[in-house]
Amino acid sequence: MIKRFFLLSGLCMFLSVSAQKTHTVTKGDNPYNISKKYGITIDELFKLNPKFKDGKLAIGDVLKVKGGNSAPAKLPSSSQTGKILLQPKQTIYGITKQYRISETDLRKLNPELDAHMKIGEEITLPLDSIKKYGGNQAAVTTINSVESAVEVSQPTNTKTKIDTGNEKSTSVHTSSGQDEYATYTVEQGDTVFSIVNKFGVTIDELIALNPDLARGLKTGMILKIKKLDAAYTKKSGDALSVVLMLPFGYSTNETQYRAMAMDFLTGAKLAIERNAKNGQKLDIKIVDSGNEDSFKNSLTQINPNNTDLIIGPFFKSNVIDLLDFTKTQKIPVVAPFANSPELYNYSNLIIIETNDQTYSDKIVEEVKTVYSDQKIYVVADSKKENANYIKANLEKAVKNANVTVVNSAADIQLDQNMMTGQSAPVIAILASDNDNVGEAFSSRMIALSKEVQGMKAFSLYPVPSFEKKVDELSQASLVYLMDRKINAEGSFEKEILAAYKTKYCKAPGKYAVIGFDVVNDMLARENKKGEIFKQMNKVQTQLATKFEFVKSKTNGAYVNTGFRVIRLVP
């Protein structure tokens, strides 16, 4: 039986190089030595052979390859090349970045280039690139009759290893030459492919940063993943390091959530500037979290050992990925929109969005206080989850409750008094957030209130007509729940609205309001490093949002249960 395998270590068997277009796998072959043999990158090899992209090869497999690498690349007659001496810590990847040359071209100029490069080894490069980008590392010899020799100096690198325990984590490698990397400690069961998929890098990039991979992947290895933003280095002092993860989609060229992210950011910036003016020391980093598929790549922009608070991302699956990424440091993570029972087990998570179950429980409580043997109608949405939940809990909370779930407000009918034959009022509940369904509900409540007194109406959500038809709906004693409603008469609210209009020349949109409220509330709680979880018991109302957090369970997430009850009184 032929075993399929993928190894980045072991004996590499090299055959004579030719300009053939295919390669037949023999014993000892692996993607790394095959790509090296033909002067192409591993990623290029997989693009030519997509069915082998998992890296598993069997003896006899035939792979498409490009031409051979038996001679250096031909350069234009006017071009000259020179050589540099390899310095400590230099890698193939580092050379390509410094000298603005592709790895393919570098390998064409250096057919014998190996991942196990030795200090002092000569590397051939275009002379113009050496002169332009070499700095102190100038050419030691040149081709085409150009000669020079200079001393080469290189900064001495130092490493700072951050202890992260036994759990999977990303730490930071710092050097005096401003080289700082997101790193990953290999655990048992990891593969090269699982690592590149986790961080959204290519195999070539991973190998270029980690030449020792050619000897094999080993548990405990610390791999460089990606160079960090130079502006986001380890800082001292008491400034609060905050990361905002927003789905702009610039890295993936997607615009689906960009408008929402930009609107959120305008409100967030206003909150940040306001707190900074009040004396709070802040260090803010904004990360493009991309879409749900590309999110993991954005994690390499975060230094978890130097972050005090993360606000975002927006989507549940991304929140889970982030919580896994930061689980060693237990950084407070704020989820502005994601709310799901799957998230309730994370003790360092703060969930902003009040869930429908909280609203439904409040509606059941409100109905129970006014119930007097009336028939109850619940207008459902297409899923009927909230409606069925309300029905089940009313039947438990109210004795002999007669509850009917309907699909349309038109199905709500007045009851008939069996003794007098006259119409009797009913209780109606709106359990849909669809505006059209809500408008129909408003019209039906107004019409029935004109026929009979004593109607009672309730809604889980606000509807535009609720504020437009206050007098008519008050005849049905409408009670509805809402959040994110701005009290335009409040002094604080007037101040923030004026500041936003001055800054952006418009009123804040929905997501700008959320951005301000979330960031302002969290910065108020995290007024000192490590203080946020000690302040979660405070009930605070920002521009439009009420924040009232409770623990979902012991050692579980903090979940916002805040909302406002609006009562229209006849």
Side-chain angles (χ1 to χ4, degrees):
M1 179 178 178
I2 297 175
K3 272 191 175 180
R4 291 183 175 270
F5 60 91
F6 167 53
L7 298 172
L8 285 174
S9 61
L11 180 64
C12 295
M13 182 177 290
F14 292 89
L15 302 179
S16 59
V17 179
S18 66
Q20 64 191 50
K21 298 298 183 183
T22 61
H23 173 86
T24 302
V25 177
T26 61
K27 184 178 179 181
D29 277 346
N30 59 58
Y32 175 73
N33 63 31
I34 294 172
S35 62
K36 179 182 173 184
K37 175 179 178 179
Y38 293 98
I40 60 177
T41 67
I42 293 178
D43 289 302
E44 287 174 331
L45 181 67
F46 289 149
K47 285 180 182 178
L48 290 169
N49 303 274
K51 73 176 183 178
F52 296 109
K53 64 182 179 180
D54 60 356
K56 296 178 181 179
L57 304 178
I59 295 172
D61 285 341
V62 178
L63 304 179
K64 293 178 183 178
V65 294
K66 292 182 178 179
N69 64 350
S70 57
K74 291 182 179 180
L75 299 172
S77 57
S78 60
S79 298
Q80 295 177 326
T81 59
K83 292 182 183 291
I84 63 169
L85 297 180
L86 190 71
Q87 299 302 304
K89 306 300 179 183
Q90 274 190 314
T91 64
I92 293 174
Y93 177 77
I95 292 170
T96 62
K97 293 299 181 186
Q98 179 178 348
Y99 291 96
R100 312 297 200 274
I101 183 174
S102 69
E103 186 175 339
T104 300
D105 289 342
L106 180 65
R107 291 187 180 279
K108 286 178 180 178
L109 289 170
N110 300 270
E112 303 303 319
L113 192 63
D114 195 296
H116 309 294
M117 298 185 297
K118 297 179 180 178
I119 297 173
E121 184 176 333
E122 291 186 346
I123 306 295
T124 301
L125 291 165
L127 186 60
D128 287 345
S129 294
I130 297 175
K131 290 179 178 180
K132 191 172 182 179
Y133 306 115
N136 291 331
Q137 193 174 359
V140 292
T141 61
T142 60
I143 300 174
N144 297 340
S145 301
V146 178
E147 297 180 358
S148 65
V150 297
E151 290 185 7
V152 178
S153 62
Q154 186 77 5
T156 302
N157 290 333
T158 59
K159 289 184 179 179
T160 302
K161 184 179 182 300
I162 299 173
D163 186 9
T164 54
N166 296 320
E167 297 185 69
K168 286 187 180 180
S169 61
T170 298
S171 59
V172 176
H173 163 202
T174 307
S175 75
S176 59
Q178 298 301 314
D179 292 328
E180 184 170 321
Y181 299 90
T183 64
Y184 176 74
T185 303
V186 178
E187 286 202 347
Q188 188 173 3
D190 280 338
T191 66
V192 170
F193 288 98
S194 69
I195 293 171
V196 298
N197 288 333
K198 179 180 180 67
F199 293 104
V201 297
T202 68
I203 294 175
D204 288 305
E205 289 171 336
L206 192 66
I207 293 175
L209 287 174
N210 303 275
D212 286 347
L213 269 180
R215 301 188 187 119
L217 189 69
K218 298 176 183 177
T219 300
M221 286 179 71
I222 298 177
L223 301 179
K224 292 179 183 178
I225 301 299
K226 192 173 185 178
K227 192 168 183 177
L228 287 174
D229 182 350
Y232 195 59
T233 55
K234 186 70 178 175
K235 297 178 177 66
S236 58
D238 56 354
L240 191 70
S241 293
V242 182
V243 173
L244 299 181
M245 301 194 76
L246 306 177
F248 298 110
Y250 292 114
S251 59
T252 56
N253 198 29
E254 293 187 45
T255 62
Q256 184 177 3
Y257 303 106
R258 189 172 299 169
M260 178 172 68
M262 291 297 293
D263 200 29
F264 186 97
L265 180 60
T266 60
K269 286 175 67 177
L270 186 65
I272 291 165
E273 291 168 3
R274 185 173 184 275
N275 282 271
K277 285 179 181 178
N278 290 334
Q280 192 172 26
K281 296 180 180 179
L282 298 172
D283 175 21
I284 308 295
K285 180 179 176 66
I286 299 170
V287 173
D288 182 358
S289 58
N291 58 29
E292 291 188 80
D293 295 329
S294 66
F295 174 75
K296 290 183 180 180
N297 191 36
S298 68
L299 294 176
T300 60
Q301 299 297 314
I302 298 174
N303 175 355
N305 299 289
N306 187 37
T307 301
D308 301 306
L309 176 67
I310 301 175
I311 298 176
F314 286 3
F315 312 113
K316 181 183 73 175
S317 61
N318 296 164
V319 172
I320 292 174
D321 288 336
L322 176 62
L323 289 165
D324 180 62
F325 180 74
T326 59
K327 65 183 178 183
T328 301
Q329 295 82 3
K330 292 292 183 183
I331 301 168
V333 172
V334 181
F337 302 108
N339 187 329
S340 168
E342 297 172 62
L343 299 173
Y344 291 172
N345 292 323
Y346 296 91
S347 61
N348 59 316
L349 178 63
I350 299 168
I351 297 173
I352 299 298
E353 193 87 351
T354 303
N355 64 18
D356 287 342
Q357 183 177 324
T358 300
Y359 290 145
S360 298
D361 288 340
K362 180 59 178 175
I363 289 296
V364 170
E365 178 186 320
E366 289 287 327
V367 171
K368 183 180 178 181
T369 61
V370 300
Y371 177 76
S372 180
D373 294 325
Q374 301 103 316
K375 187 170 183 178
I376 302 173
Y377 289 92
V378 185
V379 181
D381 57 15
S382 58
K383 294 181 180 179
K384 296 187 178 181
E385 291 179 4
N386 293 333
N388 289 333
Y389 179 88
I390 291 171
K391 180 178 186 295
N393 282 275
L394 279 172
E395 289 172 343
K396 293 177 183 177
V398 178
K399 187 177 180 180
N400 300 321
N402 181 3
V403 185
T404 302
V405 174
V406 295
N407 298 320
S408 168
D411 296 326
I412 301 173
Q413 303 294 329
L414 295 176
D415 204 1
Q416 296 295 317
N417 188 308
M418 298 299 293
M419 299 293 293
T420 66
Q422 295 180 333
S423 295
V426 296
I427 294 174
I429 303 168
L430 176 63
S432 171
D433 62 355
N434 182 286
D435 281 350
N436 291 330
V437 176
E439 294 298 318
F441 180 84
S442 294
S443 298
R444 187 61 176 161
M445 291 303 98
I446 292 171
L448 293 179
S449 296
K450 292 178 179 178
E451 291 187 36
V452 63
Q453 292 184 338
M455 285 289 300
K456 303 291 183 184
F458 300 86
S459 177
L460 267 69
Y461 312 101
V463 174
S465 62
F466 289 177
E467 294 189 13
K468 297 175 184 176
K469 302 176 180 179
V470 172
D471 291 338
E472 297 96 320
L473 288 169
S474 66
Q475 300 305 311
S477 301
L478 175 65
V479 175
Y480 64 96
L481 309 181
M482 70 178 305
D483 203 353
R484 297 179 179 140
K485 176 179 173 58
I486 300 175
N487 173 18
E489 300 305 315
S491 57
F492 172 77
E493 290 84 351
K494 285 181 178 179
E495 174 198 337
I496 301 305
L497 291 173
Y500 189 93
K501 189 170 184 179
T502 299
K503 185 175 181 63
Y504 298 108
C505 300
K506 63 178 182 180
K510 173 183 176 181
Y511 294 105
V513 171
I514 298 172
F516 175 86
D517 282 3
V518 171
V519 175
N520 203 53
D521 189 81
M522 291 301 115
L523 292 182
R525 296 175 195 273
E526 182 79 320
N527 47 24
K528 287 169 54 179
K529 290 188 177 185
E531 287 289 311
I532 193 166
F533 292 129
K534 298 178 182 178
Q535 306 293 329
M536 294 307 292
N537 62 331
K538 291 184 178 179
V539 178
Q540 299 180 160
T541 299
Q542 298 296 336
L543 182 60
T545 312
K546 183 178 180 180
F547 296 93
E548 185 174 359
F549 293 99
V550 298
K551 272 280 193 181
S552 60
K553 58 180 72 175
T554 304
N555 295 322
Y558 287 92
V559 182
N560 186 21
T561 60
F563 55 80
R564 292 164 175 171
V565 181
I566 311 298
R567 304 178 192 277
L568 303 186
V569 181

